[in-house]
Amino acid sequence: MSDTRHDEFADFAHARSGALFRTAYLMVGDHQMAQDLLQEALTKTFVAWPRLRDVGSAEPYTRKAIVTTAISWKRRKAWYGERPVEHLPETAAPADDPELRDLVWRELQALPARQRAALVLRFYEDLSEAQIAEAMGCARGTVKSQISQGVAKLRARFGDRLGPDLDLLVTGKVS
């Protein structure tokens, strides 16, 4: 790979690592595992860098690598679920009810990997169904069903406390 391509990759990794780490963290719920997940995804992106025609496609490619790797880790039982941490990274907004936010966080981590991925990409990363389908490597209908099933499980657990627009899930605030 040419020095220019190396520099492009380095610039991309430096500029987007924070946002990509947040996605990785939301997928696995553990700082160290999220760092490992991001590192693995960036490694995959680096290997694919010469094939990426547009530098703008690097972030969706890396996000897809994060999602598919996290799902495969869960399937192989290499990831053992939630681990307690002292502080959550980059919350969207301070929660009015930290206890409720923590309950939602634990319930989100308890969802199956594909449902959690769909919810994280939709409500935390604000991606469209098409972008989520690309990141997860599935059809838009699958994305819709995974989101629907995940939301149904959260609503069954929390009822009306999630509000009609899932404000609690998105912002940590009760509407």
Side-chain angles (χ1 to χ4, degrees):
M1 189 165 27
S2 70
D3 286 340
T4 304
R5 298 294 281 172
H6 272 107
D7 292 342
E8 287 175 351
F9 177 80
D11 291 344
F12 161 74
H14 180 72
R16 301 307 303 153
S17 285
L20 292 166
F21 174 78
R22 185 182 65 221
T23 300
Y25 181 81
L26 290 166
M27 290 298 301
V28 296
D30 177 82
H31 281 278
Q32 287 77 24
M33 289 192 74
Q35 289 172 342
D36 291 347
L37 180 58
L38 177 58
Q39 186 65 40
E40 190 165 331
L42 286 173
T43 300
K44 290 176 181 180
T45 303
F46 181 77
V47 169
W49 197 260
R51 295 189 314 268
L52 296 174
R53 290 189 173 98
D54 176 22
V55 175
S57 63
E59 187 166 357
Y61 183 93
T62 308
R63 190 179 293 115
K64 181 176 183 174
I66 288 170
V67 170
T68 56
T69 302
I71 290 170
S72 73
W73 284 2
K74 181 74 171 176
R75 286 184 180 147
R76 287 185 317 201
K77 304 293 185 203
W79 175 63
Y80 297 101
E82 178 184 3
R83 293 191 174 106
V85 294
E86 199 167 320
H87 302 285
L88 297 176
E90 296 182 39
T91 55
D96 292 336
D97 184 352
E99 209 171 290
L100 185 57
R101 184 193 66 207
D102 290 342
L103 282 172
V104 170
W105 175 249
R106 283 194 298 275
E107 290 298 319
L108 180 64
Q109 291 301 307
L111 290 175
R114 290 178 64 80
Q115 288 175 15
R116 182 175 54 258
L119 290 175
V120 164
L121 294 174
R122 176 66 190 104
F123 294 108
Y124 284 90
E125 297 297 325
D126 199 28
L127 298 182
S128 69
E129 289 173 356
Q131 291 169 315
I132 297 168
E134 182 180 334
M136 291 178 64
C138 63
R140 287 178 68 179
T142 302
V143 169
K144 290 179 184 181
S145 69
Q146 293 297 310
I147 290 173
S148 175
Q149 291 168 11
V151 168
K153 286 180 182 178
L154 292 175
R155 285 204 190 280
R157 172 69 172 92
F158 294 102
D160 293 337
R161 291 168 40 178
L162 286 179
D165 298 319
L166 291 176
D167 288 338
L168 178 62
L169 181 62
V170 177
T171 65
K173 290 185 177 178
V174 178
S175 41

